[in-house]
Amino acid sequence: MPHQRVIFGLPMPRIAPRRISFLLVSLGLFALFTLLFTLPSAIPTGPSLSKSIADHKFSIPKYKDKFSTSILNPLRPASHKPAEQQNSVYGGSSWYSNWNWLSPFSSSITLDENRSLLPPLKERAAIYCYYDTTIERDDATKEAESALLLTWRRAWWAQGFKPIILSAAEAMNNPYYDELQRLEVEPGFKKDMMRWLAWENMGGGLLSHQLLFPMGAYQDPLLSYLRRGEYPALLTRWEGFDDGLFAGTKSAIAAAITQALRKPQEKSAKDLVAAVTSDTFHVDPSHDSLAFYNAKTIEKSYDKIAEEVGADRAQGLKSLNVLINFHLHNTWQDMFKYGIAVLKPMPDHTTHMIEPAFDLAARLATCSNSPLPSSCPPNIPRCSPCVSSHPMKVATPARYRNTTGLFTIGTVAHPYTLRSLSSLRETIDVAWVRRNTKRDEWLYLVFQELLGTGISGSARVVKFKEAVAGEFATSHSLWLTAEKESLPHDLDWWFGFELPPKGADDGKSETPVPGKERRPKPEHDPADGPVSTEDDLTREPRLLERAREVSKSKAEQDVRAREAIEAWNLADTEAWRFAKAFLARSRVERLKWEEEESKYAGGVGSDTSRGRRNSWVRWGDHEEKE
């Protein structure tokens, strides 16, 4: 028999299920009505209670101005994309330079998902060097001097300057040129005045000797001051440098030239400094970050080079060039006492992906060739010369560390590439992405130590952009993309010196017995992540190649998977596009300058190691094969 329910001893009639549902809904509505309209009026307002609630007022956001810039404004009118800037497309990347470059997502400004927002290009301060093309030289000497000028240009470019080589052509355009030719003066004085006429014709700035090199940190106070391009009205030269470096405005240079030509202090003066009064220049005693390899310095500190120059000038200049490159590289190594970090945030199956970055780190940690391996730069007499048997430390940490004495090389991969490698899957579909992957995992892992765990992806991508393109970021890090099959071939210009070739001798001896099994295994640091298995190293190259194909594929299935994983990882995708565009723009800037400067001074000092082309790339081209 069915159970009979009672209340207060009286039998209770059965209620149909529909009536029970209606009763529960009615009770719920009554309780909600009581909570919203009865309870607030019974409680006095206080500091902890909103006055709007007590007054029965509930505000809803309203957009009275339909032209509000907020992205939450549904009435915001449609807008055209920003106009395409000059030289803003290269190698499959496009960018827009704007002061709002730290916006988390570029598309909020560019209105284009594939267009990255980059910081405006900093105007480089021009530094000039005079090379007399009228002197007859044999081919060997021309080649050696051109190589030295290339080293000079590369070193100053890496420090943020725009090195320009002047010749007699610029001096002849100066109104004072004819007056100089009519004077009966010392040949040395006339030769020195030609460089001053050429410099004044260019509007002033910095005038350097071709053997003066920046040998210090990017953030060094003197280099930072010179990089600003703002110089006092009085001409400046540096103590002990003779004709090594001058700084000044066009008007100050013109006044010095006028004084030297028309009112010389001494008729037998051999240069402008000796021909003008002492108050023409301000003499700065501080130049710790500059190295001057003039004849006086070479004879004093590098007697072997001096002997070679005296016996065979061309061969001696080649040896000097190798020595200067060694000093530039050694100075760079000394700045990073903690070594080089090759980021590997997802260490299980990304060994092959970061291999180009690791190879670059190994080359940076290797000692460059030198005719005097134990020597130091003239401005750093107590340096720590590079020793092949004890190279810089190269580690593969999982987290990014913002440490002054640590250089970071990061490999930024497209989210599809990361998921394909981490899961060892050749194909990825939309359902698998949503069910089995975390959002923006790469940025989360890279900045987990620096930012913690409770930070959104948009905040992490802003931090990433600062790490890539901040004020001093380019001198402390380099961010590559995994989809490139090889390293950019012009990284010498990024670092300011010629990198040692891959596979250079590390100074360590190995057993003469053939076979890997008899060789000592390298020590593994647990902080570098797990050691890859032979199976992983076999499968990773095929998976990476497949991911590269998908990144370029126009097949419907590949496009759907690529777009789905980009939408699922907005911050990681933004970071990948930003790093790719930033590196591409850096190269475009240099190539455009290289193309322009190759027209002057007979093309001396040009980079011919890769073979000069008749025409550099057209600035709108997308293809870039490296």
Side-chain angles (χ1 to χ4, degrees):
M1 292 181 62
H3 180 69
Q4 178 66 48
R5 294 180 172 83
V6 295
I7 182 170
F8 300 114
L10 298 176
M12 184 177 177
R14 296 185 63 185
I15 304 176
R18 292 183 178 180
R19 294 184 178 181
I20 292 178
S21 300
F22 177 75
L23 179 62
L24 292 175
V25 171
S26 300
L27 288 174
L29 292 174
F30 176 77
L32 182 62
F33 177 82
T34 303
L35 179 64
L36 295 179
F37 296 99
T38 304
L39 184 60
S41 62
I43 302 176
T45 60
S48 62
L49 185 66
S50 172
K51 185 177 180 181
S52 62
I53 296 180
D55 294 340
H56 300 181
K57 297 178 181 178
F58 299 91
S59 61
I60 299 176
K62 296 180 180 179
Y63 290 95
K64 299 180 180 179
D65 182 9
K66 67 178 182 178
F67 294 105
S68 171
T69 59
S70 172
I71 61 174
L72 300 176
N73 180 10
L75 302 177
R76 185 172 57 177
S79 172
H80 288 288
K81 298 177 183 179
E84 184 173 314
Q85 297 170 332
Q86 188 179 13
N87 305 330
S88 63
V89 179
Y90 182 74
S93 296
S94 63
W95 55 88
Y96 180 70
S97 300
N98 190 274
W99 289 109
N100 292 327
W101 65 279
L102 284 177
S103 299
F105 299 103
S106 300
S107 58
S108 63
I109 304 295
T110 64
L111 306 181
D112 185 346
E113 294 291 340
N114 297 312
R115 195 176 180 190
S116 297
L117 197 63
L118 298 183
L121 267 177
K122 296 180 181 178
E123 185 176 355
R124 293 173 174 264
I127 181 167
Y128 301 99
C129 167
Y130 183 80
Y131 181 76
D132 192 351
T133 56
T134 62
I135 299 176
E136 292 292 333
R137 301 174 177 87
D138 57 70
D139 292 341
T141 302
K142 285 181 181 179
E143 182 180 350
E145 291 182 348
S146 182
L148 264 173
L149 287 168
L150 173 60
T151 302
W152 177 84
R153 295 168 77 226
R154 192 165 48 208
W156 284 104
W157 178 268
Q159 289 287 353
F161 294 85
K162 183 168 64 174
I164 298 174
I165 299 174
L166 304 179
S167 66
E170 285 78 20
M172 293 171 67
N173 288 333
N174 195 301
Y176 291 103
Y177 175 76
D178 291 335
E179 183 176 347
L180 174 64
Q181 299 305 310
R182 290 193 295 268
L183 291 179
E184 295 183 2
V185 292
E186 293 285 336
F189 177 79
K190 184 173 292 188
K191 180 180 177 181
D192 183 68
M193 287 300 299
M194 288 290 285
R195 65 196 291 252
W196 282 84
L197 295 182
W199 184 31
E200 195 272 342
N201 183 67
M202 299 301 294
L206 295 172
L207 179 62
S208 163
H209 194 282
Q210 66 189 61
L211 295 177
L212 181 81
F213 294 85
M215 202 76 68
Y218 186 89
Q219 61 271 21
D220 177 82
L222 176 58
L223 294 177
S224 298
Y225 161 72
L226 297 177
R227 205 161 32 235
R228 284 195 293 269
E230 300 174 357
Y231 312 113
L234 191 65
L235 285 173
T236 304
R237 64 185 182 92
W238 277 260
E239 185 178 348
F241 274 4
D242 299 331
D243 60 345
L245 182 66
F246 300 96
T249 61
K250 180 180 177 66
S251 58
I253 300 168
I257 292 175
T258 302
Q259 183 184 163
L261 293 179
R262 300 173 184 175
K263 299 178 182 180
Q265 290 292 105
E266 187 177 344
K267 295 293 183 179
S268 60
K270 295 183 179 181
D271 55 34
L272 181 139
V273 176
V276 298
T277 57
S278 58
D279 59 354
T280 305
F281 291 94
H282 164 69
V283 182
D284 194 331
S286 60
H287 48 74
D288 294 340
S289 56
L290 300 175
F292 191 22
Y293 294 84
N294 58 353
K296 187 189 305 182
T297 301
I298 294 174
E299 291 176 1
K300 178 182 178 182
S301 303
Y302 316 109
D303 51 352
K304 180 182 177 181
I305 303 297
E307 292 175 2
E308 288 190 19
V309 172
D312 184 345
R313 178 173 172 78
Q315 184 59 41
L317 292 179
K318 289 181 180 179
S319 298
L320 176 61
N321 190 31
V322 173
L323 178 69
I324 293 172
N325 189 77
F326 169 75
H327 287 167
L328 288 167
H329 188 181
N330 191 72
T331 302
W332 183 90
Q333 290 177 334
D334 286 347
M335 288 188 294
F336 300 101
K337 58 182 179 180
Y338 299 119
I340 304 172
V342 181
L343 290 184
K344 196 178 182 183
M346 302 174 73
D348 287 334
H349 307 294
T350 56
T351 301
H352 184 72
M353 185 187 78
I354 69 164
E355 185 176 349
F358 193 85
D359 289 344
L360 173 61
R363 293 169 64 187
L364 288 168
T366 303
C367 300
S368 290
N369 187 28
S370 172
L372 300 171
S374 60
S375 65
C376 292
N379 62 317
I380 315 174
R382 296 184 179 180
C383 70
S384 300
C386 181
V387 180
S388 297
S389 58
H390 296 85
M392 292 178 70
K393 180 182 178 181
V394 177
T396 56
R399 307 291 179 259
Y400 170 77
R401 296 182 177 94
N402 187 17
T403 305
T404 302
L406 181 69
F407 189 85
T408 302
I409 303 177
T411 302
V412 191
H414 188 276
Y416 186 99
T417 304
L418 279 176
R419 296 309 172 192
S420 177
L421 290 172
S422 62
S423 62
L424 298 179
R425 295 170 62 98
E426 290 194 16
T427 58
I428 294 177
D429 54 49
V430 177
W432 182 87
V433 170
R434 296 190 60 186
R435 295 171 184 169
N436 299 282
T437 64
K438 298 178 181 179
R439 286 188 165 182
D440 302 318
E441 187 176 7
W442 187 84
L443 278 176
Y444 174 84
L445 294 173
V446 168
F447 292 102
Q448 184 177 10
E449 183 177 302
L450 191 64
L451 299 179
T453 58
I455 303 296
S456 65
S458 58
R460 293 178 188 276
V461 78
V462 170
K463 192 66 179 179
F464 172 80
K465 292 181 177 183
E466 291 177 343
V468 174
E471 184 176 1
F472 299 116
T474 55
S475 61
H476 289 81
S477 65
L478 173 64
W479 300 84
L480 309 169
T481 53
E483 286 65 35
K484 289 292 182 184
E485 298 180 5
S486 61
L487 291 170
H489 62 70
D490 55 354
L491 287 178
D492 296 351
W493 293 85
W494 186 279
F495 295 100
F497 50 85
E498 186 176 357
L499 297 176
K502 184 178 179 181
D505 182 20
D506 61 0
K508 297 181 180 180
S509 61
E510 292 185 347
T511 174
V513 180
K516 296 182 179 179
E517 67 280 358
R518 299 297 302 273
R519 296 178 181 175
K521 295 183 179 180
E523 296 181 4
H524 176 71
D525 187 349
D528 291 344
V531 179
S532 300
T533 64
E534 291 295 332
D535 182 59
D536 288 345
L537 297 177
T538 302
R539 299 178 65 181
E540 286 175 16
R542 183 176 69 254
L543 292 171
L544 183 58
E545 184 61 32
R546 169 59 185 162
R548 288 169 176 163
E549 293 174 359
V550 172
S551 67
K552 303 174 184 177
S553 175
K554 296 183 179 180
E556 182 179 356
Q557 182 179 358
D558 293 338
V559 172
R560 285 186 58 197
R562 191 170 65 234
E563 291 179 348
I565 204 167
E566 287 177 358
W568 192 250
N569 299 273
L570 290 175
D572 278 1
T573 304
E574 175 74 13
W576 174 75
R577 289 196 177 112
F578 184 89
K580 183 181 178 184
F582 185 78
L583 194 60
R585 189 184 68 170
S586 299
R587 188 162 191 229
V588 166
E589 179 193 14
R590 190 191 67 80
L591 289 178
K592 187 175 183 298
W593 163 77
E594 180 79 18
E595 180 191 35
E596 182 67 22
E597 290 304 308
S598 64
K599 303 174 185 176
Y600 307 106
V604 67
S606 297
D607 189 355
T608 59
S609 59
R610 299 281 169 179
R612 286 273 307 280
R613 292 173 284 182
N614 292 333
S615 175
W616 292 106
V617 293
R618 291 173 298 166
W619 305 115
D621 289 352
H622 284 261
E623 64 267 18
E624 180 194 20
K625 297 180 181 179
E626 293 184 351

